[in-house]
Amino acid sequence: MKESIVKLMDLAKDRSKQIVTSGDTLVPILLVEEPEGVSVVGVVINHELKDKAQEVLIEVLRKADASGYVFICEAWSTHSMRPLTEGVAVSELPLDDRTEIVIILAVEKGGEVLTVQAKITDIRGRRSLGEFKELIGTSLSSRFIVKDW
C-alpha cells in the first residue's frame, strides 16, 4: 500500500475518534487522493440509490484521476448467523446481538485494500472508540470497495 494512502488511513482514524468521542454523528466520508492533493467528500447514502453506489464511486474516482481513496463510516457488526440464515438485517437485530463500529477502508487503485475497524462504546450517553484492528483474512464485501476505475 502506498505510504500516502496509509497516511490518509491514519488521518481517518484520528478524525473518526475525534468525531465519535465528541458525540457528533460520523457521516460517511470519502477521502480521495488526487494528483494535486486530497479532496474530502461527504457521502449521502440514500436507500434508493444504494445499488448505484459503486457506479457513482467509480465516476468520482475517474473524474478526480484518483490514485486511491479512504472511506470512513459507522456500521453495525454481529457474530450472529441470523443475517445469513434468516436474511435479517444486522441493524434489525436486538442490541445485544450487534455492535456499533467505525470501519475504514483504504484502497489503492489496482492494488491493495486495507480495512480496519474499532468498536464504539456508549456508556450513559458518552461514546468512546476502541483500538482499531486490521481485518486480516476476512472476505469483506462492500459497495464501497472498488479497485479499478
Side-chain angles (χ1 to χ4, degrees), residues 34-82:
E34 301 175 354
E36 294 83 36
V38 175
S39 63
V40 179
V41 180
V43 179
V44 177
I45 302 174
N46 178 325
H47 288 288
E48 297 167 10
L49 298 176
K50 274 188 173 182
D51 294 337
K52 295 186 182 229
Q54 279 195 345
E55 188 178 314
V56 171
L57 179 57
I58 289 168
E59 183 179 331
V60 167
L61 297 171
R62 282 182 180 158
K63 283 183 179 177
D65 191 23
S67 58
Y69 67 93
V70 172
F71 179 72
I72 313 159
C73 68
E74 287 187 20
W76 290 108
S77 177
T78 188
H79 292 290
S80 170
M81 294 303 293
R82 289 185 59 207

Side-chain angles (χ1 to χ4, degrees), residues 13-14 16-17 101-102 104 116-121 128-135:
K13 289 176 185 177
D14 291 344
S16 60
K17 187 167 190 163
I101 61 171
V102 168
I104 303 175
V116 297
Q117 72 178 33
K119 181 179 177 182
I120 297 173
T121 306
S128 63
L129 190 62
E131 293 298 314
F132 280 97
K133 296 178 182 168
E134 185 175 348
L135 300 179

Side-chain angles (χ1 to χ4, degrees), residues 2 21 68 80 85 98 106:
K2 284 176 49 178
T21 58
S80 170
T85 59
R98 60 186 170 157

Side-chain angles (χ1 to χ4, degrees), residues 78 80-94 97:
T78 188
S80 170
M81 294 303 293
R82 289 185 59 207
L84 296 174
T85 59
E86 300 173 26
V88 176
V90 176
S91 61
E92 295 174 6
L93 292 172
D97 289 343

Side-chain angles (χ1 to χ4, degrees), residues 99-113:
T99 303
E100 193 173 15
I101 61 171
V102 168
I103 191 161
I104 303 175
L105 312 168
V107 182
E108 184 177 353
K109 184 176 184 177
E112 295 180 64
V113 176

